[in-house]
Amino acid sequence: MKVKILTRNPDEYLRETKRDIHKLPRNYDPSLHPFEAAREYTRALNAVKLDRIFAKPFIGNLEGHKDGISAVCKHPMRLSVLLSGAFDGELKVWNLSNRTSERSFLAHDGILRGITFVPSGQHFLTIGDDKTIKTWKAGKPSFGEEEEPVNTIISKSQLIGISHHRKDPIFATCGDTCQLWEETRNEPIRTFKWGVDSLHDVKYNPVETNLLAACSSDRSIILYDARETGPLRKIVMRLQTNKLSWNPMEAVTFTCANEDYNLYTYDIRTLKTPVNVHMDHVGAVIDIDYSPTGKEFVSGSYDKSIRIYEVNKGHSREVYHTKRMQRLTNVAWSLDNKYIISGSDEMNLRVWKARASEKLGVLKPRERTSLNYCNALKEKFAAHPQVRRIARHRQVPKHIYNAQAEIRTIREKSKRKEANRRAHSKQGAVPFVSEREKHVVRQDE
């Protein structure tokens, strides 16, 4: 015989401690909650408003350089260590948690062009206008010792960019040509040349570690394979590419910062057209760096602003600027995915939050639950006009606002002109060229 009895689980109605809030019984039957959607919409609206109220991304600045910032490098193991080089050849080692300079010395005569860490983080390499590659210890010299490089290599040609292999003791430099070096040798082990004047940036692929990409002064982007004797292929764009960055999570994707105010994301399997064109800047884009998740990247531009883009979106999700910040020269995304470091030509490094309204420090479980709920609501109502309007709204400096209006007018004018030509020409005489195809001139194998 079955006996049915009523049972109550004390966990459902008793508080764990006296400081906890009282637990309320909830019935989630949708028929009992006819106004649930309206309530959630109001909560989403409030959440997105609070997001804008608490959007204070600027954390602090690191001052001490006597000239504009020319290079920035993150430590591969330690989050608090940052290296920066200036146009006067000075190098500084920063402690980000204390926001202080731990070391400062003159690394090169003339401009310090590039810094890179070896994978172990024990040493770092610098290059400068004095045609030298210097290896330095990452640790402080002991008391009384002078700052001396561990090794100095004198190059026969000008050096502008440097990048280290992810695991092996090999690094690449670019200048007149692209050269591969071993840390233990004073001569390059391989030289790549493809009839161009000079290269101004080179980057090793962090996933497919034998691949390199370089930006050249003849408006082209060249791909190299370290296992081959020559370059693989080249794409020529309408304007020069300043910097590029590989996606740390996808071996085939890289994004390049261009002089035409845009950024272009390419898939190396189909270089004929970019996968995406990222707009919004109103000046030449100088530097770019990917987040460690590979889902977003940050760019710095001559228009004195920093923008954060999602890889699959054409417009920026965030724009950072301050009154004192001048033209950007370097940007970097920290390896814990929380901070952005920017260097500009008014001699300051600035630290920003990667998410403008994020609360720093330890979150209580209830805070975290509330934030997750608000994020889910914002995602659910993201397409609603009011929510979208508030989420997208940004205050930008007057010079950027005016320039955006001017660029918009120019784009509309050219579209209208093309549409008129197409309407008054023979069918097929004026072909439609998509925005992505416009900017690539040709691809060379």
Side-chain angles (χ1 to χ4, degrees):
M1 184 178 73
K2 286 183 180 176
V3 178
K4 291 184 179 178
I5 59 168
L6 292 171
T7 60
R8 292 180 75 196
N9 185 357
D11 291 342
E12 288 171 7
Y13 59 89
L14 283 182
R15 295 180 292 170
E16 286 181 13
T17 66
K18 285 184 180 179
R19 291 183 181 179
D20 280 2
I21 53 173
H22 286 277
K23 292 188 177 182
L24 293 172
R26 291 275 170 86
N27 189 337
Y28 293 106
D29 181 8
S31 61
L32 299 175
H33 301 283
F35 302 113
E36 186 187 15
R39 234 185 356 249
E40 283 193 341
Y41 168 66
T42 308
R43 284 175 188 164
L45 208 57
N46 289 338
V48 80
K49 283 177 184 174
L50 287 170
D51 221 24
R52 298 315 316 142
I53 289 167
F54 292 115
K56 292 179 170 60
F58 182 65
I59 294 170
N61 73 324
L62 310 170
E63 54 188 9
H65 276 293
K66 300 178 191 73
D67 208 336
I69 312 296
S70 63
V72 166
C73 182
K74 303 169 285 190
H75 195 287
M77 307 285 183
R78 294 168 60 195
L79 293 170
S80 61
V81 176
L82 180 80
L83 303 184
S84 67
F87 283 102
D88 60 358
E90 185 187 32
L91 186 136
K92 280 185 179 287
V93 181
W94 300 93
N95 184 331
L96 288 177
S97 45
N98 299 337
R99 286 190 229 161
T100 54
S101 170
E102 292 190 333
R103 287 165 72 188
S104 179
F105 55 92
L106 192 70
H108 291 272
D109 296 330
I111 301 172
L112 194 154
R113 290 287 181 184
I115 315 167
T116 185
F117 265 102
V118 301
S120 64
Q122 301 292 322
H123 296 88
F124 59 88
L125 302 152
T126 61
I127 55 167
D129 273 3
D130 53 5
K131 294 187 181 179
T132 57
I133 305 167
K134 294 183 180 179
T135 308
W136 308 82
K137 279 185 181 173
K140 273 187 186 178
S142 54
F143 185 73
E145 268 188 42
E146 285 189 14
E147 291 280 5
E148 288 292 331
V150 179
N151 186 25
T152 304
I153 301 169
I154 298 169
S155 169
K156 291 174 184 170
S157 59
Q158 189 72 30
L159 299 168
I160 300 174
I162 185 167
S163 179
H164 204 287
H165 192 280
R166 179 81 180 268
K167 296 188 277 287
D168 301 343
I170 297 170
F171 61 92
T173 61
C174 67
D176 299 341
T177 56
C178 180
Q179 295 177 324
L180 294 187
W181 305 73
E182 260 187 31
E183 287 175 17
T184 52
R185 295 175 65 174
N186 284 2
E187 289 290 324
I189 54 172
R190 195 167 296 166
T191 302
F192 299 116
K193 195 166 172 66
W194 194 343
V196 293
D197 299 343
S198 63
L199 306 163
H200 48 259
D201 187 40
V202 66
K203 288 284 190 320
Y204 257 109
N205 188 327
V207 185
E208 192 59 58
T209 49
N210 291 303
L211 277 179
L212 297 109
C215 309
S216 85
S217 57
D218 69 344
R219 317 191 312 273
S220 65
I221 300 164
I222 307 171
L223 290 179
Y224 303 99
D225 190 335
R227 296 164 295 191
E228 300 284 330
T229 49
L232 290 175
R233 59 180 66 173
K234 167 166 92 167
I235 39 166
V236 181
M237 301 189 71
R238 285 194 179 279
L239 286 178
Q240 182 178 293
T241 298
N242 290 317
K243 282 275 167 71
L244 64 82
S245 181
W246 290 96
N247 189 323
M249 288 293 165
E250 294 175 16
V252 293
T253 310
F254 69 87
T255 303
C256 58
N258 204 278
E259 284 281 329
D260 64 1
Y261 312 169
N262 296 340
L263 297 109
Y264 300 93
T265 299
Y266 282 97
D267 188 317
I268 58 173
R269 296 166 296 188
T270 52
L271 284 172
K272 191 73 180 162
T273 56
V275 177
N276 217 331
V277 180
H278 309 277
M279 300 176 175
D280 280 349
H281 276 297
V282 294
V285 191
I286 302 301
D287 201 8
I288 172 179
D289 192 26
Y290 260 94
S291 73
T293 58
K295 292 179 179 176
E296 295 174 313
F297 60 83
V298 60
S299 65
S301 165
Y302 243 47
D303 63 12
K304 307 175 189 176
S305 72
I306 300 163
R307 286 185 185 267
I308 300 171
Y309 293 85
E310 289 175 34
V311 176
N312 54 355
K313 300 275 175 70
H315 292 280
S316 61
R317 73 157 172 86
E318 199 62 82
V319 55
Y320 295 160
H321 53 86
T322 66
K323 278 186 179 176
R324 293 186 179 185
M325 185 163 72
Q326 297 302 307
R327 292 163 172 173
L328 272 294
T329 51
N330 294 93
V331 287
W333 198 308
S334 71
L335 293 176
D336 63 348
N337 199 28
K338 280 182 183 286
Y339 305 103
I340 285 164
I341 296 107
S342 68
S344 42
D345 65 2
E346 90 299 332
M347 306 181 284
N348 275 354
L349 288 155
R350 289 179 174 80
V351 185
W352 311 79
K353 292 182 202 171
R355 274 156 289 280
S357 56
E358 185 180 40
K359 185 188 171 188
L360 299 179
V362 181
L363 289 177
K364 291 176 182 172
R366 279 183 60 202
E367 273 182 313
R368 192 178 289 112
T369 309
S370 172
L371 283 171
N372 290 342
Y373 178 58
C374 287
N375 289 336
L377 285 177
K378 282 186 285 187
E379 210 171 297
K380 183 177 178 181
F381 290 95
H384 195 281
Q386 291 294 336
V387 175
R388 192 172 70 221
R389 183 182 66 82
I390 296 164
R392 282 181 57 210
H393 184 77
R394 296 289 181 278
Q395 294 283 359
V396 292
K398 193 170 268 187
H399 72 92
I400 293 180
Y401 185 81
N402 294 340
Q404 279 175 334
E406 192 180 328
I407 288 166
R408 200 179 302 119
T409 310
I410 292 166
R411 283 211 178 107
E412 283 169 5
K413 186 209 76 172
S414 63
K415 277 183 182 175
R416 197 164 56 243
K417 186 177 179 182
E418 194 180 318
N420 290 341
R421 280 181 61 205
R422 194 174 286 119
H424 296 92
S425 301
K426 196 167 72 174
Q427 196 170 3
V430 184
F432 178 79
V433 183
S434 72
E435 184 67 38
R436 293 178 184 182
E437 292 170 347
K438 272 180 196 171
H439 305 282
V440 180
V441 178
R442 69 176 188 276
Q443 177 185 342
D444 299 339
E445 290 285 339

